[in-house]
PDB file of all heavy atoms in Angstrom:
ATOM      1  N   THR V  69       7.814  -4.525  14.428  1.00 71.00           N
ATOM      2  CA  THR V  69       8.797  -4.327  13.376  1.00 71.00           C
ATOM      3  C   THR V  69       9.196  -5.671  12.807  1.00 71.00           C
ATOM      4  O   THR V  69       9.567  -6.585  13.545  1.00 71.00           O
ATOM      5  CB  THR V  69      10.029  -3.583  13.888  1.00 71.00           C
ATOM      6  OG1 THR V  69       9.614  -2.313  14.461  1.00 71.00           O
ATOM      7  CG2 THR V  69      11.001  -3.315  12.762  1.00 71.00           C
ATOM      8  N   GLU V  70       9.161  -5.800  11.465  1.00 68.00           N
ATOM      9  CA  GLU V  70       9.686  -6.974  10.822  1.00 68.00           C
ATOM     10  C   GLU V  70      11.204  -6.896  10.744  1.00 68.00           C
ATOM     11  O   GLU V  70      11.805  -5.820  10.870  1.00 68.00           O
ATOM     12  CB  GLU V  70       9.125  -7.133   9.412  1.00 68.00           C
ATOM     13  CG  GLU V  70       7.655  -7.444   9.369  1.00 68.00           C
ATOM     14  CD  GLU V  70       7.145  -7.669   7.945  1.00 68.00           C
ATOM     15  OE1 GLU V  70       7.935  -7.414   7.009  1.00 68.00           O
ATOM     16  OE2 GLU V  70       6.024  -8.116   7.786  1.00 68.00           O
ATOM     17  N   SER V  71      11.821  -8.028  10.534  1.00 63.00           N
ATOM     18  CA  SER V  71      13.288  -8.040  10.382  1.00 63.00           C
ATOM     19  C   SER V  71      13.745  -7.162   9.235  1.00 63.00           C
ATOM     20  O   SER V  71      14.863  -6.673   9.202  1.00 63.00           O
ATOM     21  CB  SER V  71      13.783  -9.480  10.178  1.00 63.00           C
ATOM     22  OG  SER V  71      13.179 -10.056   9.041  1.00 63.00           O
ATOM     23  N   SER V  72      12.868  -6.975   8.270  1.00 66.00           N
ATOM     24  CA  SER V  72      13.188  -6.167   7.100  1.00 66.00           C
ATOM     25  C   SER V  72      13.214  -4.674   7.411  1.00 66.00           C
ATOM     26  O   SER V  72      13.664  -3.866   6.612  1.00 66.00           O
ATOM     27  CB  SER V  72      12.169  -6.427   5.985  1.00 66.00           C
ATOM     28  OG  SER V  72      10.867  -6.065   6.434  1.00 66.00           O
ATOM     29  N   GLY V  73      12.653  -4.287   8.564  1.00 75.00           N
ATOM     30  CA  GLY V  73      12.586  -2.873   8.935  1.00 75.00           C
ATOM     31  C   GLY V  73      11.223  -2.268   8.679  1.00 75.00           C
ATOM     32  O   GLY V  73      10.966  -1.115   9.045  1.00 75.00           O
ATOM     33  N   VAL V  74      10.283  -3.036   8.117  1.00 86.00           N
ATOM     34  CA  VAL V  74       8.920  -2.559   7.970  1.00 86.00           C
ATOM     35  C   VAL V  74       8.250  -2.533   9.333  1.00 86.00           C
ATOM     36  O   VAL V  74       8.416  -3.438  10.138  1.00 86.00           O
ATOM     37  CB  VAL V  74       8.139  -3.494   7.006  1.00 86.00           C
ATOM     38  CG1 VAL V  74       6.673  -3.077   6.913  1.00 86.00           C
ATOM     39  CG2 VAL V  74       8.771  -3.454   5.610  1.00 86.00           C
ATOM     40  N   THR V  75       7.513  -1.444   9.623  1.00 91.00           N
ATOM     41  CA  THR V  75       6.974  -1.232  10.981  1.00 91.00           C
ATOM     42  C   THR V  75       5.482  -0.912  10.926  1.00 91.00           C
ATOM     43  O   THR V  75       4.920  -0.635   9.869  1.00 91.00           O
ATOM     44  CB  THR V  75       7.691  -0.065  11.677  1.00 91.00           C
ATOM     45  OG1 THR V  75       7.352   1.157  11.003  1.00 91.00           O
ATOM     46  CG2 THR V  75       9.191  -0.245  11.670  1.00 91.00           C
ATOM     47  N   ASP V  76       4.845  -0.910  12.128  1.00 93.00           N
ATOM     48  CA  ASP V  76       3.524  -0.324  12.290  1.00 93.00           C
ATOM     49  C   ASP V  76       3.629   1.182  12.088  1.00 93.00           C
ATOM     50  O   ASP V  76       4.700   1.775  12.290  1.00 93.00           O
ATOM     51  CB  ASP V  76       2.990  -0.569  13.685  1.00 93.00           C
ATOM     52  CG  ASP V  76       2.625  -2.011  13.958  1.00 93.00           C
ATOM     53  OD1 ASP V  76       2.478  -2.781  12.977  1.00 93.00           O
ATOM     54  OD2 ASP V  76       2.469  -2.359  15.130  1.00 93.00           O
ATOM     55  N   GLY V  77       2.531   1.813  11.709  1.00 93.00           N
ATOM     56  CA  GLY V  77       2.565   3.247  11.587  1.00 93.00           C
ATOM     57  C   GLY V  77       1.224   3.830  11.172  1.00 93.00           C
ATOM     58  O   GLY V  77       0.321   3.107  10.747  1.00 93.00           O
ATOM     59  N   GLN V  78       1.107   5.135  11.319  1.00 94.00           N
ATOM     60  CA  GLN V  78      -0.037   5.871  10.809  1.00 94.00           C
ATOM     61  C   GLN V  78       0.409   7.317  10.543  1.00 94.00           C
ATOM     62  O   GLN V  78       1.278   7.824  11.258  1.00 94.00           O
ATOM     63  CB  GLN V  78      -1.226   5.866  11.802  1.00 94.00           C
ATOM     64  CG  GLN V  78      -0.982   6.482  13.147  1.00 94.00           C
ATOM     65  CD  GLN V  78      -0.330   5.539  14.128  1.00 94.00           C
ATOM     66  OE1 GLN V  78      -0.505   4.328  14.057  1.00 94.00           O
ATOM     67  NE2 GLN V  78       0.445   6.072  15.050  1.00 94.00           N
ATOM     68  N   TYR V  79      -0.162   7.939   9.566  1.00 93.00           N
ATOM     69  CA  TYR V  79       0.201   9.330   9.278  1.00 93.00           C
ATOM     70  C   TYR V  79      -0.880   9.975   8.428  1.00 93.00           C
ATOM     71  O   TYR V  79      -1.643   9.325   7.721  1.00 93.00           O
ATOM     72  CB  TYR V  79       1.571   9.426   8.581  1.00 93.00           C
ATOM     73  CG  TYR V  79       1.667   8.777   7.225  1.00 93.00           C
ATOM     74  CD1 TYR V  79       1.406   9.449   6.036  1.00 93.00           C
ATOM     75  CD2 TYR V  79       2.045   7.409   7.110  1.00 93.00           C
ATOM     76  CE1 TYR V  79       1.488   8.837   4.815  1.00 93.00           C
ATOM     77  CE2 TYR V  79       2.143   6.786   5.888  1.00 93.00           C
ATOM     78  CZ  TYR V  79       1.854   7.508   4.741  1.00 93.00           C
ATOM     79  OH  TYR V  79       1.963   6.885   3.525  1.00 93.00           O
ATOM     80  N   VAL V  80      -0.957  11.296   8.510  1.00 93.00           N
ATOM     81  CA  VAL V  80      -1.845  12.087   7.669  1.00 93.00           C
ATOM     82  C   VAL V  80      -1.206  12.246   6.321  1.00 93.00           C
ATOM     83  O   VAL V  80      -0.075  12.773   6.219  1.00 93.00           O
ATOM     84  CB  VAL V  80      -2.149  13.450   8.299  1.00 93.00           C
ATOM     85  CG1 VAL V  80      -3.038  14.314   7.362  1.00 93.00           C
ATOM     86  CG2 VAL V  80      -2.837  13.284   9.655  1.00 93.00           C
ATOM     87  N   GLU V  81      -1.859  11.780   5.263  1.00 91.00           N
ATOM     88  CA  GLU V  81      -1.272  11.889   3.906  1.00 91.00           C
ATOM     89  C   GLU V  81      -1.426  13.279   3.326  1.00 91.00           C
ATOM     90  O   GLU V  81      -0.519  13.788   2.701  1.00 91.00           O
ATOM     91  CB  GLU V  81      -1.934  10.882   2.986  1.00 91.00           C
ATOM     92  CG  GLU V  81      -1.519   9.436   3.287  1.00 91.00           C
ATOM     93  CD  GLU V  81      -1.877   8.536   2.129  1.00 91.00           C
ATOM     94  OE1 GLU V  81      -3.039   8.581   1.679  1.00 91.00           O
ATOM     95  OE2 GLU V  81      -0.980   7.775   1.674  1.00 91.00           O
ATOM     96  N   TYR V  82      -2.599  13.870   3.524  1.00 90.00           N
ATOM     97  CA  TYR V  82      -2.796  15.252   3.010  1.00 90.00           C
ATOM     98  C   TYR V  82      -4.001  15.867   3.673  1.00 90.00           C
ATOM     99  O   TYR V  82      -4.917  15.183   4.181  1.00 90.00           O
ATOM    100  CB  TYR V  82      -2.945  15.276   1.496  1.00 90.00           C
ATOM    101  CG  TYR V  82      -4.254  14.696   1.007  1.00 90.00           C
ATOM    102  CD1 TYR V  82      -5.411  15.438   0.899  1.00 90.00           C
ATOM    103  CD2 TYR V  82      -4.337  13.358   0.646  1.00 90.00           C
ATOM    104  CE1 TYR V  82      -6.608  14.918   0.447  1.00 90.00           C
ATOM    105  CE2 TYR V  82      -5.526  12.795   0.182  1.00 90.00           C
ATOM    106  CZ  TYR V  82      -6.660  13.581   0.091  1.00 90.00           C
ATOM    107  OH  TYR V  82      -7.837  13.057  -0.327  1.00 90.00           O
ATOM    108  N   ILE V  83      -3.999  17.185   3.703  1.00 90.00           N
ATOM    109  CA  ILE V  83      -5.206  17.961   4.033  1.00 90.00           C
ATOM    110  C   ILE V  83      -5.341  19.013   2.951  1.00 90.00           C
ATOM    111  O   ILE V  83      -4.472  19.845   2.745  1.00 90.00           O
ATOM    112  CB  ILE V  83      -5.081  18.647   5.424  1.00 90.00           C
ATOM    113  CG1 ILE V  83      -4.946  17.583   6.505  1.00 90.00           C
ATOM    114  CG2 ILE V  83      -6.312  19.519   5.660  1.00 90.00           C
ATOM    115  CD1 ILE V  83      -4.721  18.164   7.901  1.00 90.00           C
ATOM    116  N   SER V  84      -6.425  18.946   2.201  1.00 84.00           N
ATOM    117  CA  SER V  84      -6.669  19.875   1.100  1.00 84.00           C
ATOM    118  C   SER V  84      -7.542  21.004   1.621  1.00 84.00           C
ATOM    119  O   SER V  84      -8.733  20.829   1.880  1.00 84.00           O
ATOM    120  CB  SER V  84      -7.378  19.179  -0.067  1.00 84.00           C
ATOM    121  OG  SER V  84      -7.677  20.070  -1.114  1.00 84.00           O
ATOM    122  N   SER V  85      -6.902  22.174   1.818  1.00 69.00           N
ATOM    123  CA  SER V  85      -7.620  23.298   2.404  1.00 69.00           C
ATOM    124  C   SER V  85      -7.371  24.613   1.637  1.00 69.00           C
ATOM    125  O   SER V  85      -7.356  25.672   2.235  1.00 69.00           O
ATOM    126  CB  SER V  85      -7.202  23.483   3.884  1.00 69.00           C
ATOM    127  OG  SER V  85      -5.807  23.621   3.991  1.00 69.00           O
ATOM    128  N   SER V  86      -7.158  24.508   0.306  1.00 61.00           N
ATOM    129  CA  SER V  86      -6.972  25.725  -0.480  1.00 61.00           C
ATOM    130  C   SER V  86      -8.270  26.506  -0.506  1.00 61.00           C
ATOM    131  O   SER V  86      -9.362  25.962  -0.394  1.00 61.00           O
ATOM    132  CB  SER V  86      -6.510  25.330  -1.883  1.00 61.00           C
ATOM    133  OG  SER V  86      -7.535  24.615  -2.559  1.00 61.00           O
ATOM    134  N   GLN V  87      -8.138  27.821  -0.641  1.00 54.00           N
ATOM    135  CA  GLN V  87      -9.292  28.692  -0.527  1.00 54.00           C
ATOM    136  C   GLN V  87     -10.304  28.486  -1.674  1.00 54.00           C
ATOM    137  O   GLN V  87     -11.448  28.877  -1.586  1.00 54.00           O
ATOM    138  CB  GLN V  87      -8.851  30.159  -0.488  1.00 54.00           C
ATOM    139  CG  GLN V  87      -8.085  30.524   0.773  1.00 54.00           C
ATOM    140  CD  GLN V  87      -8.902  30.246   2.025  1.00 54.00           C
ATOM    141  OE1 GLN V  87      -9.981  30.776   2.200  1.00 54.00           O
ATOM    142  NE2 GLN V  87      -8.375  29.376   2.908  1.00 54.00           N
ATOM    143  N   GLY V  88      -9.877  27.836  -2.741  1.00 62.00           N
ATOM    144  CA  GLY V  88     -10.801  27.558  -3.823  1.00 62.00           C
ATOM    145  C   GLY V  88     -11.677  26.373  -3.551  1.00 62.00           C
ATOM    146  O   GLY V  88     -12.653  26.118  -4.284  1.00 62.00           O
ATOM    147  N   ASN V  89     -11.406  25.638  -2.492  1.00 66.00           N
ATOM    148  CA  ASN V  89     -12.217  24.447  -2.182  1.00 66.00           C
ATOM    149  C   ASN V  89     -13.545  24.842  -1.541  1.00 66.00           C
ATOM    150  O   ASN V  89     -13.607  25.786  -0.745  1.00 66.00           O
ATOM    151  CB  ASN V  89     -11.474  23.517  -1.204  1.00 66.00           C
ATOM    152  CG  ASN V  89     -10.326  22.804  -1.896  1.00 66.00           C
ATOM    153  OD1 ASN V  89     -10.109  22.963  -3.068  1.00 66.00           O
ATOM    154  ND2 ASN V  89      -9.585  22.040  -1.105  1.00 66.00           N
ATOM    155  N   LYS V  90     -14.580  24.114  -1.869  1.00 79.00           N
ATOM    156  CA  LYS V  90     -15.867  24.304  -1.194  1.00 79.00           C
ATOM    157  C   LYS V  90     -15.866  23.638   0.162  1.00 79.00           C
ATOM    158  O   LYS V  90     -16.648  24.000   1.042  1.00 79.00           O
ATOM    159  CB  LYS V  90     -16.983  23.743  -2.066  1.00 79.00           C
ATOM    160  CG  LYS V  90     -17.177  24.478  -3.384  1.00 79.00           C
ATOM    161  CD  LYS V  90     -18.344  23.892  -4.152  1.00 79.00           C
ATOM    162  CE  LYS V  90     -18.538  24.657  -5.464  1.00 79.00           C
ATOM    163  NZ  LYS V  90     -19.690  24.093  -6.249  1.00 79.00           N
ATOM    164  N   ALA V  91     -15.021  22.629   0.358  1.00 87.00           N
ATOM    165  CA  ALA V  91     -14.960  21.930   1.625  1.00 87.00           C
ATOM    166  C   ALA V  91     -13.545  21.371   1.814  1.00 87.00           C
ATOM    167  O   ALA V  91     -12.875  20.997   0.884  1.00 87.00           O
ATOM    168  CB  ALA V  91     -15.981  20.783   1.654  1.00 87.00           C
ATOM    169  N   VAL V  92     -13.141  21.321   3.073  1.00 90.00           N
ATOM    170  CA  VAL V  92     -11.834  20.748   3.422  1.00 90.00           C
ATOM    171  C   VAL V  92     -11.916  19.238   3.242  1.00 90.00           C
ATOM    172  O   VAL V  92     -12.889  18.597   3.627  1.00 90.00           O
ATOM    173  CB  VAL V  92     -11.475  21.087   4.880  1.00 90.00           C
ATOM    174  CG1 VAL V  92     -10.230  20.284   5.328  1.00 90.00           C
ATOM    175  CG2 VAL V  92     -11.231  22.579   5.025  1.00 90.00           C
ATOM    176  N   THR V  93     -10.913  18.644   2.627  1.00 91.00           N
ATOM    177  CA  THR V  93     -10.825  17.198   2.507  1.00 91.00           C
ATOM    178  C   THR V  93      -9.468  16.743   3.012  1.00 91.00           C
ATOM    179  O   THR V  93      -8.470  17.494   2.950  1.00 91.00           O
ATOM    180  CB  THR V  93     -11.009  16.714   1.058  1.00 91.00           C
ATOM    181  OG1 THR V  93     -10.003  17.336   0.235  1.00 91.00           O
ATOM    182  CG2 THR V  93     -12.373  17.099   0.507  1.00 91.00           C
ATOM    183  N   ALA V  94      -9.399  15.506   3.468  1.00 93.00           N
ATOM    184  CA  ALA V  94      -8.152  14.992   4.047  1.00 93.00           C
ATOM    185  C   ALA V  94      -8.178  13.490   4.008  1.00 93.00           C
ATOM    186  O   ALA V  94      -9.239  12.861   3.921  1.00 93.00           O
ATOM    187  CB  ALA V  94      -7.951  15.490   5.473  1.00 93.00           C
ATOM    188  N   ARG V  95      -6.995  12.893   4.109  1.00 94.00           N
ATOM    189  CA  ARG V  95      -6.886  11.443   4.145  1.00 94.00           C
ATOM    190  C   ARG V  95      -5.713  11.045   5.036  1.00 94.00           C
ATOM    191  O   ARG V  95      -4.669  11.718   5.087  1.00 94.00           O
ATOM    192  CB  ARG V  95      -6.686  10.833   2.760  1.00 94.00           C
ATOM    193  CG  ARG V  95      -6.831   9.300   2.752  1.00 94.00           C
ATOM    194  CD  ARG V  95      -6.735   8.740   1.361  1.00 94.00           C
ATOM    195  NE  ARG V  95      -5.327   8.642   0.916  1.00 94.00           N
ATOM    196  CZ  ARG V  95      -4.959   8.043  -0.197  1.00 94.00           C
ATOM    197  NH1 ARG V  95      -5.880   7.526  -0.998  1.00 94.00           N
ATOM    198  NH2 ARG V  95      -3.688   7.969  -0.534  1.00 94.00           N
ATOM    199  N   ALA V  96      -5.862   9.925   5.731  1.00 96.00           N
ATOM    200  CA  ALA V  96      -4.824   9.369   6.552  1.00 96.00           C
ATOM    201  C   ALA V  96      -4.742   7.863   6.355  1.00 96.00           C
ATOM    202  O   ALA V  96      -5.727   7.258   5.875  1.00 96.00           O
ATOM    203  CB  ALA V  96      -5.059   9.698   8.031  1.00 96.00           C
ATOM    204  N   VAL V  97      -3.616   7.246   6.706  1.00 96.00           N
ATOM    205  CA  VAL V  97      -3.472   5.803   6.569  1.00 96.00           C
ATOM    206  C   VAL V  97      -2.914   5.249   7.880  1.00 96.00           C
ATOM    207  O   VAL V  97      -2.129   5.885   8.571  1.00 96.00           O
ATOM    208  CB  VAL V  97      -2.512   5.485   5.385  1.00 96.00           C
ATOM    209  CG1 VAL V  97      -1.145   6.115   5.606  1.00 96.00           C
ATOM    210  CG2 VAL V  97      -2.381   3.946   5.222  1.00 96.00           C
ATOM    211  N   LEU V  98      -3.408   4.061   8.209  1.00 96.00           N
ATOM    212  CA  LEU V  98      -2.930   3.322   9.379  1.00 96.00           C
ATOM    213  C   LEU V  98      -2.621   1.912   8.912  1.00 96.00           C
ATOM    214  O   LEU V  98      -3.377   1.296   8.179  1.00 96.00           O
ATOM    215  CB  LEU V  98      -3.986   3.288  10.486  1.00 96.00           C
ATOM    216  CG  LEU V  98      -3.692   2.438  11.750  1.00 96.00           C
ATOM    217  CD1 LEU V  98      -4.281   3.122  12.981  1.00 96.00           C
ATOM    218  CD2 LEU V  98      -4.284   1.026  11.596  1.00 96.00           C
ATOM    219  N   SER V  99      -1.475   1.357   9.351  1.00 95.00           N
ATOM    220  CA  SER V  99      -1.070   0.020   8.908  1.00 95.00           C
ATOM    221  C   SER V  99      -0.464  -0.752  10.106  1.00 95.00           C
ATOM    222  O   SER V  99       0.298  -0.177  10.880  1.00 95.00           O
ATOM    223  CB  SER V  99      -0.082   0.070   7.767  1.00 95.00           C
ATOM    224  OG  SER V  99       0.111  -1.190   7.189  1.00 95.00           O
ATOM    225  N   ARG V 100      -0.828  -2.005  10.227  1.00 95.00           N
ATOM    226  CA  ARG V 100      -0.335  -2.851  11.304  1.00 95.00           C
ATOM    227  C   ARG V 100       0.188  -4.155  10.756  1.00 95.00           C
ATOM    228  O   ARG V 100      -0.360  -4.700   9.808  1.00 95.00           O
ATOM    229  CB  ARG V 100      -1.440  -3.116  12.346  1.00 95.00           C
ATOM    230  CG  ARG V 100      -1.874  -1.856  13.118  1.00 95.00           C
ATOM    231  CD  ARG V 100      -0.719  -1.343  13.988  1.00 95.00           C
ATOM    232  NE  ARG V 100      -1.090  -0.228  14.815  1.00 95.00           N
ATOM    233  CZ  ARG V 100      -0.942   1.058  14.486  1.00 95.00           C
ATOM    234  NH1 ARG V 100      -0.463   1.341  13.271  1.00 95.00           N
ATOM    235  NH2 ARG V 100      -1.251   2.032  15.320  1.00 95.00           N
ATOM    236  N   ILE V 101       1.216  -4.713  11.410  1.00 92.00           N
ATOM    237  CA  ILE V 101       1.818  -5.982  11.010  1.00 92.00           C
ATOM    238  C   ILE V 101       1.105  -7.164  11.633  1.00 92.00           C
ATOM    239  O   ILE V 101       0.798  -8.148  10.969  1.00 92.00           O
ATOM    240  CB  ILE V 101       3.299  -5.996  11.353  1.00 92.00           C
ATOM    241  CG1 ILE V 101       4.065  -4.936  10.532  1.00 92.00           C
ATOM    242  CG2 ILE V 101       3.902  -7.375  11.121  1.00 92.00           C
ATOM    243  CD1 ILE V 101       5.497  -4.751  10.958  1.00 92.00           C
ATOM    244  N   ARG V 102       0.776  -7.056  12.931  1.00 92.00           N
ATOM    245  CA  ARG V 102       0.091  -8.142  13.625  1.00 92.00           C
ATOM    246  C   ARG V 102      -1.274  -8.343  12.991  1.00 92.00           C
ATOM    247  O   ARG V 102      -1.942  -7.353  12.600  1.00 92.00           O
ATOM    248  CB  ARG V 102      -0.059  -7.832  15.109  1.00 92.00           C
ATOM    249  CG  ARG V 102       1.226  -7.793  15.875  1.00 92.00           C
ATOM    250  CD  ARG V 102       1.051  -7.201  17.249  1.00 92.00           C
ATOM    251  NE  ARG V 102      -0.044  -7.854  17.993  1.00 92.00           N
ATOM    252  CZ  ARG V 102      -0.695  -7.250  18.992  1.00 92.00           C
ATOM    253  NH1 ARG V 102      -0.414  -5.996  19.333  1.00 92.00           N
ATOM    254  NH2 ARG V 102      -1.640  -7.923  19.647  1.00 92.00           N
ATOM    255  N   PRO V 103      -1.796  -9.583  12.955  1.00 93.00           N
ATOM    256  CA  PRO V 103      -3.089  -9.828  12.317  1.00 93.00           C
ATOM    257  C   PRO V 103      -4.218  -9.038  13.029  1.00 93.00           C
ATOM    258  O   PRO V 103      -4.428  -9.175  14.250  1.00 93.00           O
ATOM    259  CB  PRO V 103      -3.282 -11.332  12.494  1.00 93.00           C
ATOM    260  CG  PRO V 103      -1.898 -11.881  12.592  1.00 93.00           C
ATOM    261  CD  PRO V 103      -1.124 -10.843  13.319  1.00 93.00           C
ATOM    262  N   VAL V 104      -4.942  -8.257  12.252  1.00 96.00           N
ATOM    263  CA  VAL V 104      -6.003  -7.397  12.776  1.00 96.00           C
ATOM    264  C   VAL V 104      -7.342  -8.071  12.577  1.00 96.00           C
ATOM    265  O   VAL V 104      -7.627  -8.593  11.490  1.00 96.00           O
ATOM    266  CB  VAL V 104      -5.985  -6.016  12.092  1.00 96.00           C
ATOM    267  CG1 VAL V 104      -7.187  -5.212  12.438  1.00 96.00           C
ATOM    268  CG2 VAL V 104      -4.702  -5.274  12.412  1.00 96.00           C
ATOM    269  N   ALA V 105      -8.187  -8.049  13.598  1.00 97.00           N
ATOM    270  CA  ALA V 105      -9.573  -8.517  13.445  1.00 97.00           C
ATOM    271  C   ALA V 105     -10.493  -7.367  13.081  1.00 97.00           C
ATOM    272  O   ALA V 105     -11.267  -7.469  12.109  1.00 97.00           O
ATOM    273  CB  ALA V 105     -10.039  -9.188  14.746  1.00 97.00           C
ATOM    274  N   GLN V 106     -10.442  -6.273  13.799  1.00 98.00           N
ATOM    275  CA  GLN V 106     -11.271  -5.094  13.534  1.00 98.00           C
ATOM    276  C   GLN V 106     -10.441  -3.845  13.749  1.00 98.00           C
ATOM    277  O   GLN V 106      -9.668  -3.757  14.706  1.00 98.00           O
ATOM    278  CB  GLN V 106     -12.469  -5.090  14.482  1.00 98.00           C
ATOM    279  CG  GLN V 106     -13.394  -3.859  14.280  1.00 98.00           C
ATOM    280  CD  GLN V 106     -14.414  -3.733  15.423  1.00 98.00           C
ATOM    281  OE1 GLN V 106     -14.045  -3.538  16.589  1.00 98.00           O
ATOM    282  NE2 GLN V 106     -15.698  -3.857  15.081  1.00 98.00           N
TER     283      GLN V 106
END
Side-chain angles (χ1 to χ4, degrees):
T69 303
E70 291 184 351
S71 59
S72 62
V74 175
T75 68
D76 289 344
Q78 63 275 331
Y79 62 92
V80 176
E81 288 196 309
Y82 70 87
I83 298 176
S84 177
S85 56
S86 63
Q87 292 304 301
N89 288 357
K90 294 181 180 180
V92 171
T93 59
R95 191 177 79 173
V97 59
L98 175 145
S99 191
R100 292 295 184 267
I101 294 172
R102 293 168 54 203
V104 171
Q106 179 192 62

